[in-house]
Amino acid sequence: MSTIDNIQRYNYIKLCIHEKNSEEALAILKKHPSQSRFYDADGSIHLHGAVSEGLIDVAIYLMKQGCDVNFADSQGNTALTIAIQNLPFECETQCIYYLLYYGANLAHKNKAGLNALGIFAQKNYFNKKNIRHALLLVIKSCKLSDVEIAALLHDANWPISAVLDIQKPNVISMMEEMDADARRPMLPSQTMSPFDALRSQ
């Protein structure tokens, strides 16, 4: 099969997704499974489009086919950062849960320097309790120390009030300390954030 055929097929599936025609998109994807991993000049894969348009059935199918859930487009956005940017949309909670279940990386930052947690905070979506709970649940289940969790959440500008149900007192006290440190006047040598300092160790 030629590259031109692949490109034309990719563009047709992309159009079906854009028009929210999940039935047609799924029919072609099932007939041509390699399209699950095909990407265009902007680094967009069909998972990005499906999440952006809220087509959960297409997104789930692609993830089950082994589509790279952490594949980043030319702007550094993964399916998870795209999903958070597009809140609210129909079945949003289900979409986020599936992305996290299939291993979406919470710490990945796009070219604007924001990860999913940072975008969530920037848009002030803390009232979306189910999604907030899912994000915190993934953080708790990762092999991160309390200081790493505190630095990750603090770096993403999550308020203490949004983290209380993580049930990790050490994380909360560390975030409070980081908040206090952030309010103190900084010396020229203190230019790294807690998260930068953590990464440099």
Side-chain angles (χ1 to χ4, degrees):
M1 190 178 298
S2 71
T3 303
I4 292 172
D5 288 339
N6 267 326
I7 292 170
Q8 288 175 339
R9 193 165 288 116
Y10 173 89
N11 287 330
Y12 182 63
I13 296 169
K14 188 174 181 177
L15 177 65
C16 290
I17 290 171
H18 180 68
E19 293 178 345
K20 300 187 187 298
N21 185 351
S22 58
E23 189 176 328
E24 179 72 3
L26 283 168
I28 302 167
L29 284 166
K30 287 173 183 177
K31 193 174 179 181
H32 302 280
S34 65
Q35 279 288 325
S36 298
R37 294 173 295 282
F38 199 81
Y39 59 91
D40 67 9
D42 291 327
S44 266
I45 55 175
H46 293 308
L47 180 60
H48 295 156
V51 166
S52 180
E53 297 295 340
L55 297 185
I56 309 306
D57 51 350
V58 176
I60 292 169
Y61 174 80
L62 289 164
M63 287 185 276
K64 285 182 176 177
Q65 291 303 303
C67 178
D68 182 0
V69 73
N70 290 309
F71 193 90
D73 66 14
S74 59
Q75 298 304 308
N77 284 306
T78 63
L80 182 60
T81 55
I82 290 169
I84 300 291
Q85 286 168 7
N86 282 281
L87 293 174
F89 59 89
E90 193 176 352
C91 301
E92 58 184 22
T93 304
Q94 185 184 7
C95 179
I96 303 299
Y97 269 89
Y98 268 101
L99 288 167
L100 295 172
Y101 176 80
Y102 280 98
N105 182 357
L106 279 176
H108 171 83
K109 290 187 177 182
N110 62 19
K111 289 190 177 177
L114 292 169
N115 57 26
L117 296 166
I119 295 165
F120 193 82
Q122 190 181 64
K123 290 183 170 282
N124 195 25
Y125 281 140
F126 296 107
N127 61 324
K128 295 186 173 292
K129 293 179 183 177
N130 287 341
I131 294 176
R132 175 166 51 90
H133 177 74
L135 297 173
L136 289 174
L137 193 62
V138 169
I139 291 171
K140 276 181 74 173
S141 65
C142 290
K143 293 179 180 176
L144 296 174
S145 68
D146 285 356
V147 69
E148 287 172 320
I149 293 172
L152 182 64
L153 291 166
H154 187 267
D155 186 58
N157 292 316
W158 275 47
I160 306 287
S161 58
V163 185
L164 293 175
D165 57 353
I166 198 170
Q167 296 176 344
K168 279 185 167 279
N170 287 344
V171 168
I172 293 164
S173 62
M174 286 174 193
M175 286 181 71
E176 287 172 339
E177 193 174 315
M178 289 172 186
D179 282 346
D181 288 343
R183 287 192 293 270
R184 290 190 192 108
M186 290 185 74
L187 299 172
S189 62
Q190 296 175 312
T191 55
M192 288 196 296
S193 74
F195 197 53
D196 290 333
L198 185 67
R199 285 186 291 203
S200 68
Q201 289 177 358

